Amino acid sequence: MAKGKAKGQKGKVITLKIAKNSIRISFDGGRRLDLSKMGITTFPQCILKLADVDELDLSRNMLKKIPSSIQKFQKLRWLDLHSNQLEELPKTIGTLQNLFYLNICNNKLTSKHLPEELNLLKNLRILNLGLNCLDSIPTSLGALKELKEIGLFDNTLTTIPNSVKNLPKLKKLNAKRNPFPDSTEQEEHADPVKGIETLYLVQEKDLCCSCLKMCQDERDKLNKLKNVTPSPSEKPHFPLLQTPNSSAKDNQEEWRLRDKHP
């Protein structure tokens, strides 16, 4: 008997009562169903009775599959599925037309099982695909014209489609720790964020050699313009460099949209 129980790990059973007690009111008055960190292994069907919520947080569980019935959450604006064991997403996710935040970071998604229907999320502002098993990104994501931030870090990408790099409103693109062929191509992937007004601080260790050299060269030019001659005995040192090539934040807690009304 004991051995039989040990074979299959059962997650916490979510009842409708538990789900109702997990509804929170967000700062803008929206209703948020927070079922994060509950040890859930299967999608709780009872929450389909609460499909009128504005936000759904199923992050940090052990989910392997999201059912096609996710389409019932038509009012959903914010969906957090990060840190589960998802290997695929249902095509019906593309029907969530009000969604502007989607976090599916830290799962087991492959490019093969990344649905093309993601390109139907026309109001999406933030998309996090980091820490998965993606070796390519569909060019169709270029249809997400409202996208402002995208996380692609810690995958196996060798290139990023121009349609994604050139999204008109893109401000942050984090593609760190991917096996891009060379540093030049990594610089090209950062081009979409070069035109933004906000600059971010990044440490030397987070810059590739070519980016660091570029920043050092620019600093040298500024020094010459200011008639400041650096001491030859001093090695140039820039503990905090300002560069528009900095990446989107890795900390998943900071991916939550600050302003829900674009």
Side-chain angles (χ1 to χ4, degrees):
M1 209 47 192
K3 289 183 178 179
K5 288 184 179 180
K7 284 182 179 179
Q9 184 180 8
K10 289 188 177 181
K12 182 174 181 177
V13 176
I14 301 298
T15 63
L16 184 58
K17 182 179 180 180
I18 291 175
K20 286 181 177 180
N21 289 335
S22 299
I23 292 179
R24 305 288 183 266
I25 303 300
S26 58
F27 69 89
D28 65 345
R31 298 170 72 237
R32 180 188 184 200
L33 177 53
D34 187 353
L35 297 176
S36 63
K37 297 184 289 186
M38 285 194 171
I40 304 171
T41 56
T42 56
F43 186 89
Q45 294 297 316
C46 67
I47 69 174
L48 295 177
K49 295 182 179 180
L50 304 173
D52 60 340
V53 295
D54 304 290
E55 304 180 5
L56 177 58
D57 189 349
L58 288 168
S59 66
R60 289 167 285 185
N61 284 296
M62 295 176 284
L63 295 171
K64 294 184 177 180
K65 185 178 181 181
I66 298 297
S68 58
S69 55
I70 191 72
Q71 66 182 330
K72 292 184 180 295
F73 290 83
Q74 284 299 305
K75 290 182 61 179
L76 212 58
R77 298 177 299 163
W78 192 88
L79 178 59
D80 196 342
L81 301 172
H82 89 262
S83 302
N84 277 284
Q85 299 175 19
L86 300 175
E87 297 180 356
E88 61 182 342
L89 291 175
K91 294 181 178 181
T92 54
I93 198 169
T95 66
L96 304 179
Q97 292 295 299
N98 289 314
L99 206 64
F100 63 74
Y101 176 99
L102 177 59
N103 188 352
I104 42 182
C105 168
N106 195 22
N107 279 286
K108 299 180 179 180
L109 294 170
T110 62
S111 298
K112 181 180 179 181
H113 293 112
L114 198 65
E116 286 283 335
E117 286 74 10
L118 282 177
N119 68 357
L120 300 176
L121 302 176
K122 304 300 184 183
N123 290 307
L124 202 62
R125 264 70 168 175
I126 295 180
L127 174 62
N128 192 351
L129 296 169
L131 283 165
N132 277 290
C133 306
L134 305 175
D135 56 17
S136 64
I137 297 297
T139 58
S140 57
L141 288 187
L144 303 178
K145 303 301 183 183
E146 297 298 319
L147 202 64
K148 294 181 179 180
E149 302 181 20
I150 183 169
L152 301 172
F153 53 90
D154 293 290
N155 279 289
T156 58
L157 302 174
T158 55
T159 187
I160 297 176
N162 288 330
S163 60
V164 174
K165 291 191 292 183
N166 297 325
L167 282 167
K169 296 186 179 181
L170 192 64
K171 292 184 177 181
K172 293 182 182 179
L173 189 161
N174 183 354
K176 291 172 65 175
R177 295 179 295 278
N178 277 285
F180 296 121
D182 53 55
S183 57
T184 301
E185 189 163 358
Q186 290 197 46
E187 288 180 40
E188 289 177 357
H189 294 332
D191 281 347
V193 297
K194 285 186 177 179
I196 66 174
E197 296 179 0
T198 304
L199 297 179
Y200 299 88
L201 293 177
V202 59
Q203 295 182 349
E204 281 185 358
K205 62 182 178 65
D206 293 325
L207 291 175
C208 62
C209 294
S210 58
C211 292
L212 180 58
K213 185 177 185 306
M214 179 181 67
C215 292
Q216 290 173 335
D217 289 344
E218 291 300 318
R219 177 58 60 88
D220 288 342
K221 289 179 182 178
L222 286 175
N223 284 335
K224 289 179 180 179
L225 289 174
K226 294 178 181 179
N227 295 319
V228 176
T229 305
S231 172
S233 61
E234 294 182 3
K235 182 179 179 181
H237 178 63
F238 311 106
L240 290 175
L241 293 174
Q242 282 191 318
T243 171
N245 194 29
S246 57
S247 58
K249 296 175 181 177
D250 288 352
N251 189 330
Q252 297 314 302
E253 292 300 320
E254 298 183 17
W255 273 78
R256 184 172 173 82
L257 196 61
R258 291 172 293 279
D259 184 1
K260 292 180 177 291
H261 299 287

